[in-house]
Amino acid sequence: MKIKEVLSALERFAPLPLQESWDNAGLQVGLTETEVSGALLCLDVNEQVIDEAITKGCNLVVSHHPLLFRGLKQVSGANDVQRSVIKAIKNDVCVVSMHTNMDNARGGVNWKIGEKLGLQNMRFFAQKTVDGVEAGSGVLGELPEPMQAADFVQLVKQRFGVACAMCNELLRRPVSTVALCGGAGDFLLPDALAEGADAFITGEMHYHVYFDYEQKLQICVIGHYQSEQYTSEVFRDIINKECPGVRTVIAETCTNPIVYL
C-alpha cells in the first residue's frame, strides 16, 4: 500500500477543510507514491522521532502537531525543525500531520479524551458545518454517575497520568456534564458554560481567563501534551481499519518540552 492511500484514509476521517485557517495540516515532507513500510504515530515531530521511525523501519510519520507550522525560509539545520526536515528527506521518511482537522472531526482528538474519561452521550459543542461535514471545536458528555468535584479532578489526573492539575475553586455541587477541548481550549469556556457543563477540561489556559467562573464551572487544566497524548490511538485505529496490513507503531519518544519539578 502506498503512503498516499494512508494519507487519503486519514483525510477521509478528518477532511483538511475542517482545519482552522491558521493551521497547516496534511502532507509536510516527502513523497507519497512510495510503498509504506510502517507508520510511526506521534504528537510532535522532532529529530528523535525521525530517528525512532528510521530505527523501527517506518517510512511514514503521522503526527498531530504539524512539523511545518510557520513555514521555512531556509533549510540549513539552524533549528530542530530544519534538522528534522533534512533528516526525514535524507532517509526517505514522509511526514504528515492531522492537527485541527482531527481536533474538529467526529471521533477525533476530543472524542478520545472523552472516551478515556468514560463519558457517555458525547456530542459536539461550538458546532459548525464545513463543506457539509458536521464538526466542532469541543465535545460534551456525561459521567456515568455524578461526582464530587475533588473526586472528579482525581479521576482526570489518574486517567491522564498527571501529578497535578491547574483548577479554579472546587465546585460545591456534583459534576455530571463535562465539556472538553484538547490543547489550548480556553476560547471555549463561555460556550461550555452556555451548554450547561459542570466542568471543563483542557490542556492549557491563560491566567486571566480563570477569573469569574467560581462556582459556575469546574476548570481542570492538565497540560497541552497530556491532554492530547492519546491522539496516536486515533491514528492507529483509522489506519488499522482503513489500511489493513499497514504496520502501525505508537512512538515511544516523549516530546513534551515541559518538565515538572
Side-chain angles (χ1 to χ4, degrees), residues 110-120 122 141-145 147 151-160 178-181 199-202 220 222 230:
N110 294 321
W111 298 75
K112 176 58 70 172
I113 296 170
E115 175 189 314
K116 292 294 180 180
L117 288 169
L119 298 187
Q120 301 173 346
M122 286 193 288
E142 279 80 42
L143 292 166
E145 297 290 339
M147 303 178 69
D151 295 331
F152 170 74
V153 171
Q154 289 302 315
L155 172 69
V156 175
K157 289 169 59 178
Q158 184 268 324
R159 295 289 169 88
F160 289 86
V178 178
L180 55 88
C181 176
F200 179 73
I201 303 170
T202 192
C220 187
I222 61 175
Y230 300 117

PDB file of all heavy atoms in Angstrom, residues 110-120 122 141-145 147 151-160 178-181 199-202 220 222 230:
ATOM      1  N   ASN A 110     -10.809  15.069  20.632  1.00  0.00           N
ATOM      2  CA  ASN A 110     -11.650  15.339  21.800  1.00  0.00           C
ATOM      3  C   ASN A 110     -12.523  14.152  22.178  1.00  0.00           C
ATOM      4  O   ASN A 110     -12.801  13.916  23.363  1.00  0.00           O
ATOM      5  CB  ASN A 110     -12.503  16.581  21.544  1.00  0.00           C
ATOM      6  CG  ASN A 110     -11.650  17.836  21.432  1.00  0.00           C
ATOM      7  OD1 ASN A 110     -10.676  18.003  22.154  1.00  0.00           O
ATOM      8  ND2 ASN A 110     -12.009  18.718  20.504  1.00  0.00           N
ATOM      9  N   TRP A 111     -12.948  13.406  21.184  1.00  0.00           N
ATOM     10  CA  TRP A 111     -13.745  12.211  21.462  1.00  0.00           C
ATOM     11  C   TRP A 111     -12.898  11.160  22.174  1.00  0.00           C
ATOM     12  O   TRP A 111     -13.396  10.422  23.034  1.00  0.00           O
ATOM     13  CB  TRP A 111     -14.346  11.653  20.177  1.00  0.00           C
ATOM     14  CG  TRP A 111     -15.273  12.622  19.518  1.00  0.00           C
ATOM     15  CD1 TRP A 111     -14.923  13.744  18.818  1.00  0.00           C
ATOM     16  CD2 TRP A 111     -16.703  12.594  19.518  1.00  0.00           C
ATOM     17  NE1 TRP A 111     -16.055  14.405  18.384  1.00  0.00           N
ATOM     18  CE2 TRP A 111     -17.147  13.728  18.786  1.00  0.00           C
ATOM     19  CE3 TRP A 111     -17.650  11.709  20.041  1.00  0.00           C
ATOM     20  CZ2 TRP A 111     -18.502  13.992  18.582  1.00  0.00           C
ATOM     21  CZ3 TRP A 111     -19.002  11.973  19.838  1.00  0.00           C
ATOM     22  CH2 TRP A 111     -19.413  13.099  19.123  1.00  0.00           C
ATOM     23  N   LYS A 112     -11.605  11.089  21.830  1.00  0.00           N
ATOM     24  CA  LYS A 112     -10.712  10.154  22.510  1.00  0.00           C
ATOM     25  C   LYS A 112     -10.529  10.548  23.975  1.00  0.00           C
ATOM     26  O   LYS A 112     -10.502   9.689  24.861  1.00  0.00           O
ATOM     27  CB  LYS A 112      -9.363  10.115  21.794  1.00  0.00           C
ATOM     28  CG  LYS A 112      -8.310   9.239  22.463  1.00  0.00           C
ATOM     29  CD  LYS A 112      -8.741   7.786  22.631  1.00  0.00           C
ATOM     30  CE  LYS A 112      -8.806   7.038  21.313  1.00  0.00           C
ATOM     31  NZ  LYS A 112      -9.043   5.577  21.528  1.00  0.00           N
ATOM     32  N   ILE A 113     -10.425  11.854  24.244  1.00  0.00           N
ATOM     33  CA  ILE A 113     -10.320  12.324  25.625  1.00  0.00           C
ATOM     34  C   ILE A 113     -11.565  11.911  26.411  1.00  0.00           C
ATOM     35  O   ILE A 113     -11.484  11.397  27.531  1.00  0.00           O
ATOM     36  CB  ILE A 113     -10.126  13.851  25.671  1.00  0.00           C
ATOM     37  CG1 ILE A 113      -8.803  14.256  25.009  1.00  0.00           C
ATOM     38  CG2 ILE A 113     -10.173  14.359  27.114  1.00  0.00           C
ATOM     39  CD1 ILE A 113      -8.655  15.750  24.800  1.00  0.00           C
ATOM     40  N   GLY A 114     -12.725  12.138  25.811  1.00  0.00           N
ATOM     41  CA  GLY A 114     -13.981  11.748  26.462  1.00  0.00           C
ATOM     42  C   GLY A 114     -14.066  10.256  26.701  1.00  0.00           C
ATOM     43  O   GLY A 114     -14.548   9.808  27.751  1.00  0.00           O
ATOM     44  N   GLU A 115     -13.582   9.486  25.739  1.00  0.00           N
ATOM     45  CA  GLU A 115     -13.578   8.027  25.884  1.00  0.00           C
ATOM     46  C   GLU A 115     -12.719   7.610  27.076  1.00  0.00           C
ATOM     47  O   GLU A 115     -13.106   6.727  27.854  1.00  0.00           O
ATOM     48  CB  GLU A 115     -13.035   7.406  24.594  1.00  0.00           C
ATOM     49  CG  GLU A 115     -12.865   5.901  24.634  1.00  0.00           C
ATOM     50  CD  GLU A 115     -12.115   5.381  23.410  1.00  0.00           C
ATOM     51  OE1 GLU A 115     -12.455   5.806  22.282  1.00  0.00           O
ATOM     52  OE2 GLU A 115     -11.188   4.575  23.587  1.00  0.00           O
ATOM     53  N   LYS A 116     -11.555   8.235  27.235  1.00  0.00           N
ATOM     54  CA  LYS A 116     -10.661   7.893  28.339  1.00  0.00           C
ATOM     55  C   LYS A 116     -11.301   8.203  29.690  1.00  0.00           C
ATOM     56  O   LYS A 116     -10.989   7.561  30.699  1.00  0.00           O
ATOM     57  CB  LYS A 116      -9.344   8.650  28.206  1.00  0.00           C
ATOM     58  CG  LYS A 116      -8.487   8.218  27.025  1.00  0.00           C
ATOM     59  CD  LYS A 116      -7.982   6.790  27.184  1.00  0.00           C
ATOM     60  CE  LYS A 116      -7.124   6.357  26.006  1.00  0.00           C
ATOM     61  NZ  LYS A 116      -6.622   4.963  26.156  1.00  0.00           N
ATOM     62  N   LEU A 117     -12.204   9.181  29.713  1.00  0.00           N
ATOM     63  CA  LEU A 117     -12.893   9.546  30.955  1.00  0.00           C
ATOM     64  C   LEU A 117     -14.176   8.747  31.167  1.00  0.00           C
ATOM     65  O   LEU A 117     -14.823   8.881  32.201  1.00  0.00           O
ATOM     66  CB  LEU A 117     -13.225  11.042  30.946  1.00  0.00           C
ATOM     67  CG  LEU A 117     -12.035  11.986  31.119  1.00  0.00           C
ATOM     68  CD1 LEU A 117     -12.460  13.418  30.834  1.00  0.00           C
ATOM     69  CD2 LEU A 117     -11.458  11.867  32.530  1.00  0.00           C
ATOM     70  N   GLY A 118     -14.535   7.953  30.171  1.00  0.00           N
ATOM     71  CA  GLY A 118     -15.755   7.166  30.283  1.00  0.00           C
ATOM     72  C   GLY A 118     -17.021   7.974  30.106  1.00  0.00           C
ATOM     73  O   GLY A 118     -18.084   7.584  30.605  1.00  0.00           O
ATOM     74  N   LEU A 119     -16.938   9.097  29.379  1.00  0.00           N
ATOM     75  CA  LEU A 119     -18.127   9.927  29.183  1.00  0.00           C
ATOM     76  C   LEU A 119     -19.149   9.230  28.299  1.00  0.00           C
ATOM     77  O   LEU A 119     -18.797   8.478  27.378  1.00  0.00           O
ATOM     78  CB  LEU A 119     -17.741  11.273  28.559  1.00  0.00           C
ATOM     79  CG  LEU A 119     -16.812  12.182  29.361  1.00  0.00           C
ATOM     80  CD1 LEU A 119     -16.672  13.530  28.665  1.00  0.00           C
ATOM     81  CD2 LEU A 119     -17.324  12.368  30.789  1.00  0.00           C
ATOM     82  N   GLN A 120     -20.394   9.516  28.542  1.00  0.00           N
ATOM     83  CA  GLN A 120     -21.499   8.949  27.765  1.00  0.00           C
ATOM     84  C   GLN A 120     -22.227  10.057  27.014  1.00  0.00           C
ATOM     85  O   GLN A 120     -22.123  11.234  27.346  1.00  0.00           O
ATOM     86  CB  GLN A 120     -22.467   8.225  28.710  1.00  0.00           C
ATOM     87  CG  GLN A 120     -21.819   7.104  29.506  1.00  0.00           C
ATOM     88  CD  GLN A 120     -22.750   6.520  30.551  1.00  0.00           C
ATOM     89  OE1 GLN A 120     -23.796   7.094  30.882  1.00  0.00           O
ATOM     90  NE2 GLN A 120     -22.382   5.364  31.095  1.00  0.00           N
ATOM     91  N   MET A 122     -21.783  11.492  24.164  1.00  0.00           N
ATOM     92  CA  MET A 122     -20.905  12.562  23.705  1.00  0.00           C
ATOM     93  C   MET A 122     -21.456  13.245  22.460  1.00  0.00           C
ATOM     94  O   MET A 122     -22.049  12.602  21.594  1.00  0.00           O
ATOM     95  CB  MET A 122     -19.497  12.022  23.445  1.00  0.00           C
ATOM     96  CG  MET A 122     -18.716  11.736  24.714  1.00  0.00           C
ATOM     97  SD  MET A 122     -16.956  11.460  24.418  1.00  0.00           S
ATOM     98  CE  MET A 122     -16.981   9.866  23.635  1.00  0.00           C
ATOM     99  N   GLY A 141     -20.131  15.661  27.245  1.00  0.00           N
ATOM    100  CA  GLY A 141     -20.652  14.343  27.583  1.00  0.00           C
ATOM    101  C   GLY A 141     -20.988  14.255  29.056  1.00  0.00           C
ATOM    102  O   GLY A 141     -20.707  15.179  29.829  1.00  0.00           O
ATOM    103  N   GLU A 142     -21.583  13.133  29.449  1.00  0.00           N
ATOM    104  CA  GLU A 142     -21.982  12.941  30.842  1.00  0.00           C
ATOM    105  C   GLU A 142     -21.163  11.832  31.502  1.00  0.00           C
ATOM    106  O   GLU A 142     -20.871  10.804  30.873  1.00  0.00           O
ATOM    107  CB  GLU A 142     -23.467  12.568  30.938  1.00  0.00           C
ATOM    108  CG  GLU A 142     -24.396  13.754  30.856  1.00  0.00           C
ATOM    109  CD  GLU A 142     -24.634  14.234  29.439  1.00  0.00           C
ATOM    110  OE1 GLU A 142     -24.801  13.373  28.554  1.00  0.00           O
ATOM    111  OE2 GLU A 142     -24.637  15.460  29.222  1.00  0.00           O
ATOM    112  N   LEU A 143     -20.814  12.057  32.754  1.00  0.00           N
ATOM    113  CA  LEU A 143     -20.210  10.999  33.546  1.00  0.00           C
ATOM    114  C   LEU A 143     -21.252   9.917  33.828  1.00  0.00           C
ATOM    115  O   LEU A 143     -22.449  10.218  33.910  1.00  0.00           O
ATOM    116  CB  LEU A 143     -19.698  11.567  34.873  1.00  0.00           C
ATOM    117  CG  LEU A 143     -18.504  12.517  34.791  1.00  0.00           C
ATOM    118  CD1 LEU A 143     -18.335  13.264  36.116  1.00  0.00           C
ATOM    119  CD2 LEU A 143     -17.238  11.765  34.441  1.00  0.00           C
ATOM    120  N   PRO A 144     -20.828   8.660  33.982  1.00  0.00           N
ATOM    121  CA  PRO A 144     -21.797   7.598  34.295  1.00  0.00           C
ATOM    122  C   PRO A 144     -22.593   7.889  35.561  1.00  0.00           C
ATOM    123  O   PRO A 144     -23.780   7.581  35.638  1.00  0.00           O
ATOM    124  CB  PRO A 144     -20.903   6.363  34.473  1.00  0.00           C
ATOM    125  CG  PRO A 144     -19.668   6.659  33.692  1.00  0.00           C
ATOM    126  CD  PRO A 144     -19.468   8.138  33.798  1.00  0.00           C
ATOM    127  N   GLU A 145     -21.927   8.498  36.549  1.00  0.00           N
ATOM    128  CA  GLU A 145     -22.583   8.906  37.796  1.00  0.00           C
ATOM    129  C   GLU A 145     -22.034  10.265  38.200  1.00  0.00           C
ATOM    130  O   GLU A 145     -20.843  10.534  38.014  1.00  0.00           O
ATOM    131  CB  GLU A 145     -22.305   7.901  38.922  1.00  0.00           C
ATOM    132  CG  GLU A 145     -22.835   6.504  38.681  1.00  0.00           C
ATOM    133  CD  GLU A 145     -24.356   6.418  38.735  1.00  0.00           C
ATOM    134  OE1 GLU A 145     -24.968   7.336  39.352  1.00  0.00           O
ATOM    135  OE2 GLU A 145     -24.916   5.451  38.182  1.00  0.00           O
ATOM    136  N   MET A 147     -20.259  13.126  40.315  1.00  0.00           N
ATOM    137  CA  MET A 147     -19.127  13.012  41.228  1.00  0.00           C
ATOM    138  C   MET A 147     -18.898  14.342  41.939  1.00  0.00           C
ATOM    139  O   MET A 147     -19.175  15.398  41.372  1.00  0.00           O
ATOM    140  CB  MET A 147     -17.840  12.652  40.467  1.00  0.00           C
ATOM    141  CG  MET A 147     -17.883  11.394  39.661  1.00  0.00           C
ATOM    142  SD  MET A 147     -16.316  11.119  38.766  1.00  0.00           S
ATOM    143  CE  MET A 147     -15.231  10.752  40.145  1.00  0.00           C
ATOM    144  N   ASP A 151     -13.268  14.536  43.640  1.00  0.00           N
ATOM    145  CA  ASP A 151     -13.136  13.184  43.093  1.00  0.00           C
ATOM    146  C   ASP A 151     -12.999  13.220  41.575  1.00  0.00           C
ATOM    147  O   ASP A 151     -12.259  12.422  40.986  1.00  0.00           O
ATOM    148  CB  ASP A 151     -14.350  12.337  43.490  1.00  0.00           C
ATOM    149  CG  ASP A 151     -14.436  12.113  44.992  1.00  0.00           C
ATOM    150  OD1 ASP A 151     -13.379  12.096  45.653  1.00  0.00           O
ATOM    151  OD2 ASP A 151     -15.562  11.969  45.498  1.00  0.00           O
ATOM    152  N   PHE A 152     -13.714  14.143  40.949  1.00  0.00           N
ATOM    153  CA  PHE A 152     -13.631  14.296  39.502  1.00  0.00           C
ATOM    154  C   PHE A 152     -12.216  14.694  39.088  1.00  0.00           C
ATOM    155  O   PHE A 152     -11.644  14.124  38.154  1.00  0.00           O
ATOM    156  CB  PHE A 152     -14.637  15.338  39.022  1.00  0.00           C
ATOM    157  CG  PHE A 152     -14.460  15.742  37.583  1.00  0.00           C
ATOM    158  CD1 PHE A 152     -14.827  14.885  36.558  1.00  0.00           C
ATOM    159  CD2 PHE A 152     -13.911  16.973  37.256  1.00  0.00           C
ATOM    160  CE1 PHE A 152     -14.651  15.245  35.230  1.00  0.00           C
ATOM    161  CE2 PHE A 152     -13.733  17.353  35.937  1.00  0.00           C
ATOM    162  CZ  PHE A 152     -14.104  16.479  34.919  1.00  0.00           C
ATOM    163  N   VAL A 153     -11.630  15.652  39.786  1.00  0.00           N
ATOM    164  CA  VAL A 153     -10.263  16.080  39.465  1.00  0.00           C
ATOM    165  C   VAL A 153      -9.294  14.912  39.630  1.00  0.00           C
ATOM    166  O   VAL A 153      -8.397  14.704  38.791  1.00  0.00           O
ATOM    167  CB  VAL A 153      -9.849  17.274  40.344  1.00  0.00           C
ATOM    168  CG1 VAL A 153      -8.356  17.593  40.168  1.00  0.00           C
ATOM    169  CG2 VAL A 153     -10.689  18.508  40.004  1.00  0.00           C
ATOM    170  N   GLN A 154      -9.475  14.118  40.663  1.00  0.00           N
ATOM    171  CA  GLN A 154      -8.610  12.950  40.862  1.00  0.00           C
ATOM    172  C   GLN A 154      -8.774  11.938  39.735  1.00  0.00           C
ATOM    173  O   GLN A 154      -7.795  11.322  39.297  1.00  0.00           O
ATOM    174  CB  GLN A 154      -8.913  12.289  42.219  1.00  0.00           C
ATOM    175  CG  GLN A 154      -8.446  13.104  43.415  1.00  0.00           C
ATOM    176  CD  GLN A 154      -6.964  13.405  43.396  1.00  0.00           C
ATOM    177  OE1 GLN A 154      -6.145  12.528  43.120  1.00  0.00           O
ATOM    178  NE2 GLN A 154      -6.610  14.647  43.675  1.00  0.00           N
ATOM    179  N   LEU A 155      -9.994  11.771  39.253  1.00  0.00           N
ATOM    180  CA  LEU A 155     -10.241  10.869  38.128  1.00  0.00           C
ATOM    181  C   LEU A 155      -9.489  11.344  36.886  1.00  0.00           C
ATOM    182  O   LEU A 155      -8.829  10.547  36.204  1.00  0.00           O
ATOM    183  CB  LEU A 155     -11.738  10.802  37.832  1.00  0.00           C
ATOM    184  CG  LEU A 155     -12.130  10.044  36.555  1.00  0.00           C
ATOM    185  CD1 LEU A 155     -11.874   8.548  36.711  1.00  0.00           C
ATOM    186  CD2 LEU A 155     -13.591  10.306  36.188  1.00  0.00           C
ATOM    187  N   VAL A 156      -9.585  12.629  36.597  1.00  0.00           N
ATOM    188  CA  VAL A 156      -8.904  13.193  35.436  1.00  0.00           C
ATOM    189  C   VAL A 156      -7.399  12.990  35.557  1.00  0.00           C
ATOM    190  O   VAL A 156      -6.729  12.552  34.608  1.00  0.00           O
ATOM    191  CB  VAL A 156      -9.239  14.689  35.273  1.00  0.00           C
ATOM    192  CG1 VAL A 156      -8.417  15.299  34.133  1.00  0.00           C
ATOM    193  CG2 VAL A 156     -10.726  14.885  35.009  1.00  0.00           C
ATOM    194  N   LYS A 157      -6.843  13.287  36.723  1.00  0.00           N
ATOM    195  CA  LYS A 157      -5.404  13.124  36.950  1.00  0.00           C
ATOM    196  C   LYS A 157      -4.971  11.676  36.737  1.00  0.00           C
ATOM    197  O   LYS A 157      -3.935  11.406  36.115  1.00  0.00           O
ATOM    198  CB  LYS A 157      -5.040  13.585  38.355  1.00  0.00           C
ATOM    199  CG  LYS A 157      -5.115  15.093  38.561  1.00  0.00           C
ATOM    200  CD  LYS A 157      -5.008  15.480  40.021  1.00  0.00           C
ATOM    201  CE  LYS A 157      -3.718  15.013  40.651  1.00  0.00           C
ATOM    202  NZ  LYS A 157      -3.617  15.442  42.064  1.00  0.00           N
ATOM    203  N   GLN A 158      -5.781  10.756  37.225  1.00  0.00           N
ATOM    204  CA  GLN A 158      -5.438   9.338  37.108  1.00  0.00           C
ATOM    205  C   GLN A 158      -5.500   8.856  35.660  1.00  0.00           C
ATOM    206  O   GLN A 158      -4.594   8.167  35.169  1.00  0.00           O
ATOM    207  CB  GLN A 158      -6.381   8.518  37.998  1.00  0.00           C
ATOM    208  CG  GLN A 158      -6.068   7.037  38.050  1.00  0.00           C
ATOM    209  CD  GLN A 158      -6.836   6.227  37.007  1.00  0.00           C
ATOM    210  OE1 GLN A 158      -7.993   6.529  36.710  1.00  0.00           O
ATOM    211  NE2 GLN A 158      -6.206   5.223  36.444  1.00  0.00           N
ATOM    212  N   ARG A 159      -6.549   9.252  34.943  1.00  0.00           N
ATOM    213  CA  ARG A 159      -6.724   8.769  33.570  1.00  0.00           C
ATOM    214  C   ARG A 159      -5.668   9.346  32.613  1.00  0.00           C
ATOM    215  O   ARG A 159      -5.362   8.731  31.595  1.00  0.00           O
ATOM    216  CB  ARG A 159      -8.126   9.122  33.072  1.00  0.00           C
ATOM    217  CG  ARG A 159      -9.243   8.404  33.829  1.00  0.00           C
ATOM    218  CD  ARG A 159      -9.295   6.915  33.509  1.00  0.00           C
ATOM    219  NE  ARG A 159     -10.177   6.199  34.402  1.00  0.00           N
ATOM    220  CZ  ARG A 159     -11.484   6.029  34.205  1.00  0.00           C
ATOM    221  NH1 ARG A 159     -12.057   6.573  33.131  1.00  0.00           N
ATOM    222  NH2 ARG A 159     -12.217   5.347  35.055  1.00  0.00           N
ATOM    223  N   PHE A 160      -5.141  10.531  32.948  1.00  0.00           N
ATOM    224  CA  PHE A 160      -4.177  11.164  32.051  1.00  0.00           C
ATOM    225  C   PHE A 160      -2.759  11.186  32.621  1.00  0.00           C
ATOM    226  O   PHE A 160      -1.861  11.762  32.011  1.00  0.00           O
ATOM    227  CB  PHE A 160      -4.652  12.573  31.683  1.00  0.00           C
ATOM    228  CG  PHE A 160      -5.841  12.543  30.775  1.00  0.00           C
ATOM    229  CD1 PHE A 160      -7.128  12.458  31.298  1.00  0.00           C
ATOM    230  CD2 PHE A 160      -5.693  12.536  29.400  1.00  0.00           C
ATOM    231  CE1 PHE A 160      -8.235  12.379  30.466  1.00  0.00           C
ATOM    232  CE2 PHE A 160      -6.788  12.454  28.559  1.00  0.00           C
ATOM    233  CZ  PHE A 160      -8.060  12.377  29.091  1.00  0.00           C
ATOM    234  N   VAL A 178     -19.662  17.201  31.383  1.00  0.00           N
ATOM    235  CA  VAL A 178     -18.270  17.617  31.215  1.00  0.00           C
ATOM    236  C   VAL A 178     -18.050  18.104  29.789  1.00  0.00           C
ATOM    237  O   VAL A 178     -18.413  17.433  28.822  1.00  0.00           O
ATOM    238  CB  VAL A 178     -17.311  16.444  31.515  1.00  0.00           C
ATOM    239  CG1 VAL A 178     -15.854  16.869  31.297  1.00  0.00           C
ATOM    240  CG2 VAL A 178     -17.522  15.928  32.933  1.00  0.00           C
ATOM    241  N   ALA A 179     -17.462  19.294  29.664  1.00  0.00           N
ATOM    242  CA  ALA A 179     -17.038  19.828  28.370  1.00  0.00           C
ATOM    243  C   ALA A 179     -15.528  19.698  28.290  1.00  0.00           C
ATOM    244  O   ALA A 179     -14.829  19.833  29.296  1.00  0.00           O
ATOM    245  CB  ALA A 179     -17.457  21.289  28.236  1.00  0.00           C
ATOM    246  N   LEU A 180     -15.017  19.458  27.099  1.00  0.00           N
ATOM    247  CA  LEU A 180     -13.569  19.299  26.977  1.00  0.00           C
ATOM    248  C   LEU A 180     -13.072  19.750  25.618  1.00  0.00           C
ATOM    249  O   LEU A 180     -13.787  19.752  24.624  1.00  0.00           O
ATOM    250  CB  LEU A 180     -13.163  17.850  27.254  1.00  0.00           C
ATOM    251  CG  LEU A 180     -13.829  16.742  26.432  1.00  0.00           C
ATOM    252  CD1 LEU A 180     -13.073  16.485  25.144  1.00  0.00           C
ATOM    253  CD2 LEU A 180     -13.923  15.465  27.242  1.00  0.00           C
ATOM    254  N   CYS A 181     -11.789  20.135  25.622  1.00  0.00           N
ATOM    255  CA  CYS A 181     -11.101  20.527  24.396  1.00  0.00           C
ATOM    256  C   CYS A 181      -9.618  20.285  24.606  1.00  0.00           C
ATOM    257  O   CYS A 181      -8.999  20.882  25.496  1.00  0.00           O
ATOM    258  CB  CYS A 181     -11.353  22.000  24.070  1.00  0.00           C
ATOM    259  SG  CYS A 181     -10.436  22.595  22.623  1.00  0.00           S
ATOM    260  N   ALA A 199     -18.188  21.042  34.327  1.00  0.00           N
ATOM    261  CA  ALA A 199     -16.731  21.062  34.347  1.00  0.00           C
ATOM    262  C   ALA A 199     -16.193  21.245  32.940  1.00  0.00           C
ATOM    263  O   ALA A 199     -16.860  20.903  31.956  1.00  0.00           O
ATOM    264  CB  ALA A 199     -16.187  19.762  34.955  1.00  0.00           C
ATOM    265  N   PHE A 200     -14.989  21.779  32.872  1.00  0.00           N
ATOM    266  CA  PHE A 200     -14.323  21.998  31.593  1.00  0.00           C
ATOM    267  C   PHE A 200     -12.872  21.549  31.705  1.00  0.00           C
ATOM    268  O   PHE A 200     -12.136  22.012  32.582  1.00  0.00           O
ATOM    269  CB  PHE A 200     -14.379  23.472  31.201  1.00  0.00           C
ATOM    270  CG  PHE A 200     -13.691  23.790  29.895  1.00  0.00           C
ATOM    271  CD1 PHE A 200     -14.265  23.423  28.691  1.00  0.00           C
ATOM    272  CD2 PHE A 200     -12.470  24.458  29.878  1.00  0.00           C
ATOM    273  CE1 PHE A 200     -13.637  23.714  27.487  1.00  0.00           C
ATOM    274  CE2 PHE A 200     -11.839  24.752  28.684  1.00  0.00           C
ATOM    275  CZ  PHE A 200     -12.427  24.377  27.478  1.00  0.00           C
ATOM    276  N   ILE A 201     -12.475  20.645  30.824  1.00  0.00           N
ATOM    277  CA  ILE A 201     -11.105  20.121  30.794  1.00  0.00           C
ATOM    278  C   ILE A 201     -10.407  20.614  29.534  1.00  0.00           C
ATOM    279  O   ILE A 201     -10.961  20.549  28.434  1.00  0.00           O
ATOM    280  CB  ILE A 201     -11.099  18.583  30.787  1.00  0.00           C
ATOM    281  CG1 ILE A 201     -11.845  18.023  31.992  1.00  0.00           C
ATOM    282  CG2 ILE A 201      -9.669  18.041  30.749  1.00  0.00           C
ATOM    283  CD1 ILE A 201     -12.066  16.533  31.907  1.00  0.00           C
ATOM    284  N   THR A 202      -9.183  21.088  29.693  1.00  0.00           N
ATOM    285  CA  THR A 202      -8.368  21.444  28.539  1.00  0.00           C
ATOM    286  C   THR A 202      -6.901  21.279  28.898  1.00  0.00           C
ATOM    287  O   THR A 202      -6.561  20.908  30.033  1.00  0.00           O
ATOM    288  CB  THR A 202      -8.682  22.868  28.045  1.00  0.00           C
ATOM    289  OG1 THR A 202      -8.076  23.076  26.768  1.00  0.00           O
ATOM    290  CG2 THR A 202      -8.190  23.923  29.025  1.00  0.00           C
ATOM    291  N   CYS A 220     -10.390  22.429  34.879  1.00  0.00           N
ATOM    292  CA  CYS A 220      -9.347  21.442  35.152  1.00  0.00           C
ATOM    293  C   CYS A 220      -8.381  21.443  33.968  1.00  0.00           C
ATOM    294  O   CYS A 220      -8.729  20.988  32.874  1.00  0.00           O
ATOM    295  CB  CYS A 220      -9.968  20.069  35.362  1.00  0.00           C
ATOM    296  SG  CYS A 220      -8.811  18.797  35.894  1.00  0.00           S
ATOM    297  N   ILE A 222      -4.751  20.287  32.427  1.00  0.00           N
ATOM    298  CA  ILE A 222      -3.842  19.164  32.701  1.00  0.00           C
ATOM    299  C   ILE A 222      -2.554  19.176  31.899  1.00  0.00           C
ATOM    300  O   ILE A 222      -1.732  18.262  32.035  1.00  0.00           O
ATOM    301  CB  ILE A 222      -4.575  17.821  32.466  1.00  0.00           C
ATOM    302  CG1 ILE A 222      -5.052  17.696  31.015  1.00  0.00           C
ATOM    303  CG2 ILE A 222      -5.725  17.658  33.454  1.00  0.00           C
ATOM    304  CD1 ILE A 222      -5.666  16.340  30.687  1.00  0.00           C
ATOM    305  N   TYR A 230      -3.182  10.785  23.750  1.00  0.00           N
ATOM    306  CA  TYR A 230      -3.791   9.571  23.201  1.00  0.00           C
ATOM    307  C   TYR A 230      -4.209   9.719  21.736  1.00  0.00           C
ATOM    308  O   TYR A 230      -4.856   8.822  21.179  1.00  0.00           O
ATOM    309  CB  TYR A 230      -4.997   9.154  24.051  1.00  0.00           C
ATOM    310  CG  TYR A 230      -4.638   8.865  25.487  1.00  0.00           C
ATOM    311  CD1 TYR A 230      -5.162   9.631  26.523  1.00  0.00           C
ATOM    312  CD2 TYR A 230      -3.752   7.840  25.809  1.00  0.00           C
ATOM    313  CE1 TYR A 230      -4.828   9.382  27.845  1.00  0.00           C
ATOM    314  CE2 TYR A 230      -3.403   7.583  27.128  1.00  0.00           C
ATOM    315  CZ  TYR A 230      -3.949   8.356  28.142  1.00  0.00           C
ATOM    316  OH  TYR A 230      -3.604   8.105  29.445  1.00  0.00           O
TER     317      TYR A 230
END
